Amino acid sequence: MPKFAANLSMMFTELDFLDRFAAAAEAGFKAVEYLFPYEWPAEQLRARLDEHGLTQALFNVYAGDWDAGERGLAALPGRDDEFRASITQALEYAEALDCPKLHLMSGRGVDVNDSDIRAHYVENVRWAAEQAAAAGRLLVLEPLNAYDNPGYYVPSVARAVELIDEIDRDNVRLQFDFYHAQLTDGDITNLLARVADRIGHVQLASVPARNEPDRGELCYPFVLEALDRTGYDGWVGCEYRPAAGTTEGLGWLDAYENWQGER
């Protein structure tokens, strides 16, 4: 049965960020993830994790000016110094938070067919992977769908797998987000089986609204059972926007746990 981590960038947003740790623990979560920790001192976040008995499952490497639409630096020419500094920063936070995985975003607005851009991206990820390996960390690359993130350099699971194979580093894996994967590649259960050996982290939301997983196009017990068959034993991040309050929408989790117990 999957282990679920609350995504504090999307869940419990009715509370201040630092108060979301307590809310997640009270709701029964044992782990959390979120986009970026860098607004807060690592020691302050570590204290929240310890206070509430939570594991830090994942966070993102700094991805540029988020509010201006930037979504990563790895593929962007002329940003190498900033990119390398972001890796150093992320690894320092990962050490303090005992976080095993970092999501490395590629960037947007560059030509996906440009061979020089591709070579630059691969070189950057390989360099980051070497730094992460020395620190005992895993890097994950997540495809982002073109509806929400037009121009993103890694727009599909198929392309992510192709790049991961070219990067060829043991600690560079696929971040499989059911929401993005359904919008980009589809054929979810067969897709899971094909890429199972490359998956490093998983996230879950409904499609197409990105709300709780008990609605929309995907039958979440069915796809989670397919995930179980792959042997994945890591955290599943609940990266969804609650439709009407986080706690009010957690009935899907209780129903899933009950369904598991009745099988």
Side-chain angles (χ1 to χ4, degrees):
M1 177 178 171
K3 306 178 298 182
F4 297 103
N7 187 295
L8 300 186
S9 295
M10 289 193 171
M11 303 175 73
F12 304 104
T13 56
E14 59 272 22
L15 302 172
D16 290 338
F17 181 76
L18 291 176
D19 294 331
R20 297 174 198 174
F21 292 82
E26 186 175 347
F29 289 99
K30 303 300 183 186
V32 296
E33 62 175 34
Y34 38 75
L35 289 178
F36 306 106
Y38 312 112
E39 185 177 340
W40 298 272
E43 296 77 10
Q44 190 174 23
L45 299 175
R46 176 77 260 173
R48 297 290 169 137
L49 293 169
D50 291 342
E51 180 182 356
H52 301 293
L54 293 166
T55 294
Q56 183 72 53
L58 176 83
F59 61 83
N60 290 6
V61 176
Y62 172 74
D65 189 340
W66 191 266
D67 292 338
E70 291 193 322
R71 294 294 183 269
L73 305 173
L76 304 187
R79 305 286 291 272
D80 289 356
D81 289 346
E82 191 177 1
F83 171 75
R84 293 193 173 207
S86 75
I87 298 299
T88 300
Q89 178 191 45
L91 290 173
E92 289 171 353
Y93 268 79
E95 177 69 22
L97 302 179
D98 194 21
C99 183
K101 302 173 185 178
L102 299 171
H103 172 208
L104 178 59
M105 303 188 75
S106 66
R108 65 199 300 188
V110 293
D111 186 352
V112 298
N113 298 310
D114 187 309
S115 60
D116 290 337
I117 295 292
R118 184 181 181 115
H120 178 257
Y121 173 74
V122 169
E123 180 183 359
N124 269 344
V125 179
R126 285 176 176 167
W127 180 87
E130 291 167 5
Q131 313 314 304
R137 311 296 167 186
L138 189 74
L139 296 181
V140 289
L141 310 181
E142 180 185 25
L144 302 184
N145 76 80
Y147 302 100
D148 297 333
N149 298 277
Y152 193 68
Y153 189 69
V154 186
S156 69
V157 173
R159 179 167 174 82
V161 168
E162 178 185 299
L163 288 166
I164 288 167
D165 286 349
E166 182 174 348
I167 292 162
D168 193 25
R169 295 295 183 270
D170 289 342
N171 65 325
V172 177
R173 313 284 288 176
L174 173 68
Q175 183 165 312
F176 189 97
D177 185 313
F178 280 99
Y179 169 74
H180 290 294
Q182 173 69 357
L183 289 171
T184 60
D185 299 73
D187 191 25
I188 288 294
T189 53
N190 288 323
L191 180 65
L192 269 173
R194 290 196 300 272
V195 303
D197 61 341
R198 295 174 176 86
I199 292 176
H201 188 64
V202 175
Q203 293 175 325
L204 181 67
S206 69
V207 183
R210 207 173 191 179
N211 298 140
E212 289 87 347
D214 60 347
R215 61 200 71 195
E217 298 175 8
L218 297 178
C219 175
Y220 78 102
F222 183 84
V223 297
L224 289 175
E225 188 172 352
L227 178 64
D228 273 344
R229 289 197 298 271
T230 70
Y232 177 77
D233 61 358
W235 296 101
V236 175
C238 299
E239 193 183 42
Y240 64 78
R241 302 183 189 95
T246 303
T247 303
E248 294 83 350
L250 287 176
W252 72 269
L253 186 53
D254 292 335
Y256 181 69
E257 290 174 348
N258 290 336
W259 177 78
Q260 286 281 323
E262 293 168 358
R263 293 176 60 200

